[in-house]
Amino acid sequence: MTGEPLLRAERVRKSYGRHQVLKGIDLEVRRGEVMCVIGPSGSGKSTFLRCVNHLERIQSGRIWVDGELIGYRQSGDRLHDLSARELSRQRAEIGMVFQDFNLFSHYTAVENVMAGPVMVRGEPRESARDRAVELLRRVGLGDKLDAYPRRLSGGQQQRVAIARALSMRPKLMLFDEPTSALDPELVGEVLDVMRDLASEGLTMIIVTHEIGFAREVGDTLVFMDDGVVVESGAPAQVIGNPVHDRTKAFLSKVL
């Protein structure tokens, strides 16, 4: 990890109508860092991830990835929306893995992984396929290249989704509770892939309920509740010796 943050969020606020979901989030993630985010349902964890790649518009604040303002161009004191093309270019640098896989049902595993590089980056199909095969082998699915999603288990589908995100060679990977939709016996195979990515130095933000995994893999653990960052620090410190009563109460229910 280097000292310069890859992601910087300042005073990020997001509301749905009168309901304020994010109440001024300040976070930094360094290059090569794995940040795990925990907290109760409705605390704003997933919303924050979606704001990072501008799937959700923020009401105020700023988010930068690799020094580039996300979603907007600033001119003086004013912000101007980026064009759809500019947004697509930004999102190509930020991989995201969702809870529910979001695979194309009419594409095979290898076609799902090829789709982004071909359609977004304009890569030749042959080289995109070679890369897709390599990535599927990397996540343990070299024997499922031509399988359709309906023929794959939930854990296998999620691993295809991870390979698909990696196919764009992102600077930053976002994981939104990637194991929450899986049967318990399938969770381990997805976490193993994520452990490997962490060991390779990929910068990641992981929203997770897997506290043991967060302790093992995370460089930083963030506890969010009611739209704010309540506590953050080394995972062993936050889990083993939390400072805030809200953190203590949450951990007492999940450990």
Side-chain angles (χ1 to χ4, degrees), residues 8-251:
R8 184 158 55 96
E10 289 186 357
R11 302 182 300 278
V12 173
R13 296 179 180 272
K14 170 67 184 175
S15 298
Y16 298 104
R18 295 184 178 181
H19 178 51
Q20 195 170 23
V21 181
L22 301 176
K23 303 176 181 178
I25 300 295
D26 293 302
L27 281 176
E28 289 188 352
V29 182
R30 293 168 293 164
R31 296 179 191 276
E33 180 178 357
V34 178
M35 175 179 283
C36 294
V37 184
I38 62 172
S41 297
S43 59
K45 310 181 301 297
S46 296
T47 299
F48 175 71
L49 282 197
R50 294 175 65 84
C51 290
V52 169
N53 63 4
H54 208 65
L55 290 175
E56 298 283 358
R57 294 171 60 94
I58 60 178
Q59 268 71 51
S60 63
R62 302 283 192 277
I63 298 173
W64 293 266
V65 173
D66 202 16
E68 185 174 8
L69 184 63
I70 297 297
Y72 304 98
R73 174 175 47 82
Q74 187 158 353
S75 178
D77 293 332
R78 300 193 63 182
L79 293 180
H80 303 273
D81 289 318
L82 293 182
S83 68
R85 184 174 183 177
E86 290 171 313
L87 266 179
S88 179
R89 178 189 58 77
Q90 285 191 339
R91 288 181 180 139
E93 306 286 343
I94 306 170
M96 186 156 184
V97 177
F98 300 88
Q99 298 178 35
D100 51 1
F101 322 140
N102 287 349
L103 299 178
F104 295 118
S105 61
H106 59 294
Y107 282 3
T108 64
V110 75
E111 288 169 342
N112 264 282
V113 179
M114 290 170 58
V118 171
M119 293 191 291
V120 177
R121 294 198 186 278
E123 291 185 18
R125 290 185 61 85
E126 184 176 349
S127 61
R129 180 182 171 83
D130 288 345
R131 168 81 171 154
V133 170
E134 173 193 334
L135 287 169
L136 286 168
R137 287 174 176 163
R138 181 176 170 186
V139 299
L141 294 174
D143 60 339
K144 301 292 185 182
L145 303 180
D146 298 317
Y148 288 91
R150 66 180 178 274
R151 299 294 185 187
L152 300 173
S153 70
Q156 290 169 333
Q157 290 185 61
Q158 193 61 294
R159 285 186 280 157
V160 174
I162 293 172
R164 180 183 59 184
L166 292 172
S167 72
M168 300 295 285
R169 296 179 172 85
K171 297 175 180 178
L172 173 67
M173 280 282 281
L174 310 175
F175 292 86
D176 186 11
E177 298 186 15
T179 60
S180 65
L182 301 179
D183 292 333
E185 66 269 21
L186 301 177
V187 168
E189 62 191 49
V190 173
L191 295 183
D192 284 344
V193 171
M194 294 169 66
R195 284 187 186 93
D196 288 343
L197 296 176
S199 70
E200 293 168 10
L202 183 63
T203 310
M204 300 191 284
I205 306 176
I206 304 169
V207 170
T208 184
H209 290 299
E210 303 287 340
I211 304 297
F213 174 77
R215 185 203 302 263
E216 174 193 352
V217 173
D219 297 298
T220 305
L221 184 65
V222 171
F223 172 64
M224 285 182 62
D225 190 20
D226 195 27
V228 300
V229 173
V230 176
E231 187 165 352
S232 66
Q237 171 66 31
V238 175
I239 295 170
N241 190 27
V243 173
H244 294 272
D245 289 340
R246 289 159 78 185
T247 316
K248 294 174 184 176
F250 174 78
L251 290 172

